[in-house]
Amino acid sequence: MMLKQKDFIDLEGLTDEEIYGILETASSMKDIFTRSVKKVPTLRGKTVVNLFFEPSTRTKSSFDLAAKRLSADVMSISKKASSVVKGETLLDTARTMEVMAADVVVVRHSHPGAAKYLGDNLQAAVLNAGDGPHAHPTQALLDIFTIWDKLGELKGKKILIIGDIAHSRVARSNIWGLLALGAEIRLCGPATLIPMGIEQAGVKVYQDVDEALKGVDAVNILRIQLERQERGLFPSLREYRYLYGINKERQKSLKPEALVMHPGPMNRGVEIESNVADSKQSVITEQVANGVAIRMALLYLLAGKEVKHEALA
């Protein structure tokens, strides 16, 4: 399987065949986790640069571990530790890394379009690790991988995304990917947190969470992103918890095999109760592990195109 594009910016425009190709590659990568030595020489001699200009725990450590498990050389740079604080532009910083023979530049930035901008101006492959509220394709792929791994093909599956849709790059990328795979997508949350006209994308919008939960195969619960809201968009966290929080009573309405998901970090006691997050239906910790496999797959497909698959052995 080969990626057609030099960079990986979002899932928009990808075919079901391309997405399943990434998932199958990730599945091969996940097999490595069960070995006594969890490392392969696939990207030996390649260099991966992590430019993380927004705070991140899961995504940054996941990319770091993914590159190291493929034996790549890894450089990680934060905004505080870069010359950006002295006035240097993002592009100049990235070009400095590129001339040090970077093969893949992984970028997280608060501005939508930052990853595409770098991709258009660098010869190295650029991988989007989240750009403002625009896109978070690797998180979406690990969400999709988790559902596929547990429930099989996505076509016809009913997936509910609940919470702060308007400010969520995770929701946006999930919608593109799930639509490409033929899933039925439901969105639920306060009207102020649902983008106007989103139904035209082919999704169903619910205001009543109990109605939205009926018959779903997976519910992906999003974090309330107060830091991205310029003003209060709902009366209080207490009211949000009452109207939209997933608690034990609401979990009882799910099918036994339905998955409970959350991209993290969680606001326990707000969008999700602890006894739901830690229940048997929860696959939240598996999402984190699957994130490493997805990022290994994408690094391999971007930087290791000429490397034969035997290198995974």
Side-chain angles (χ1 to χ4, degrees):
M1 188 263 179
M2 300 279 285
L3 290 177
K4 295 176 183 175
Q5 65 272 38
K6 175 180 79 72
D7 309 307
F8 194 79
I9 305 301
D10 199 5
L11 302 187
E12 185 177 6
L14 264 62
T15 65
D16 58 344
E17 184 180 359
E18 289 172 308
I19 294 174
Y20 277 125
I22 296 169
L23 302 188
E24 287 164 2
T25 305
S27 188
S28 299
M29 298 295 177
K30 196 175 176 182
D31 290 342
I32 297 169
F33 298 2
T34 61
R35 302 178 185 178
S36 57
V37 178
K38 302 174 183 61
K39 196 166 186 174
V40 291
T42 309
L43 294 188
R44 183 181 294 160
K46 301 290 184 180
T47 301
V48 175
V49 175
N50 292 326
L51 288 180
F52 273 70
F53 286 2
E54 257 195 345
S56 170
T57 301
R58 285 169 189 74
T59 306
K60 182 177 180 301
S61 57
S62 183
F63 268 111
D64 193 60
L65 185 58
K68 289 175 179 174
R69 284 190 171 170
L70 294 172
S71 301
D73 296 319
V74 185
M75 291 190 292
S76 294
I77 299 171
S78 67
K79 185 176 182 179
K80 289 182 179 178
S82 76
S83 292
V84 168
V85 296
K86 301 176 183 176
E88 185 175 74
T89 67
L90 172 65
L91 181 57
D92 283 340
T93 300
R95 279 176 171 160
T96 300
M97 298 299 107
E98 185 177 50
V99 297
M100 295 183 190
D103 296 285
V104 180
V105 176
V106 179
V107 61
R108 166 170 283 200
H109 202 281
S110 58
H111 287 179
K116 185 177 188 310
Y117 174 68
L118 288 188
D120 290 344
N121 288 279
L122 296 178
Q123 292 184 0
V126 173
L127 210 169
N128 187 5
D131 58 336
H134 172 240
H136 197 350
T138 59
Q139 177 65 49
L141 280 173
L142 76 86
D143 293 341
I144 293 169
F145 180 88
T146 303
I147 300 169
W148 176 69
D149 195 39
K150 291 285 185 183
L151 304 178
E153 287 203 9
L154 274 290
K155 188 173 183 179
K157 294 287 189 303
K158 297 179 176 63
I159 313 299
L160 170 62
I161 304 174
I162 181 170
D164 188 352
I165 310 296
H167 299 92
S168 175
R169 54 194 173 199
V170 174
R172 200 177 302 274
S173 291
N174 259 296
I175 289 169
W176 287 121
L178 291 167
L179 283 175
L181 298 179
E184 176 187 311
I185 305 171
R186 302 179 181 183
L187 305 179
C188 183
T192 49
L193 296 180
I194 303 288
M196 289 183 63
I198 190 72
E199 297 93 336
Q200 294 175 13
V203 304
K204 297 181 179 179
V205 175
Y206 293 76
Q207 297 297 320
D208 184 338
V209 65
D210 297 306
E211 189 66 26
L213 284 167
K214 290 180 180 175
V216 298
D217 297 288
V219 53
N220 201 355
I221 305 159
L222 302 181
R223 182 175 67 90
I224 293 298
Q225 302 186 57
L226 295 174
E227 74 277 13
R228 295 190 189 277
Q229 298 179 20
E230 295 179 356
R231 57 186 174 84
L233 295 176
F234 51 85
S236 69
L237 290 178
R238 183 177 179 183
E239 182 173 306
Y240 183 89
R241 177 187 180 187
Y242 175 72
L243 291 174
Y244 300 101
I246 302 301
N247 53 34
K248 204 65 179 177
E249 284 304 307
R250 286 187 168 135
Q251 187 184 15
K252 289 178 182 175
S253 69
L254 291 172
K255 296 190 292 187
E257 67 274 22
L259 308 178
V260 173
M261 310 174 70
H262 194 303
M266 290 182 281
N267 292 313
R268 290 176 182 258
V270 180
E271 68 261 6
I272 186 170
E273 297 296 326
S274 284
N275 52 15
V276 177
D278 302 326
S279 69
K280 290 183 178 178
Q281 281 183 289
S282 170
V283 291
I284 294 170
T285 56
E286 290 176 63
Q287 288 175 264
V288 177
N290 289 337
V292 178
I294 283 292
R295 283 149 187 149
M296 288 172 72
L298 288 170
L299 290 173
Y300 164 71
L301 293 170
L302 288 173
K305 289 177 180 174
E306 73 277 18
V307 180
K308 293 183 178 178
H309 230 61
E310 292 83 64
L312 294 175

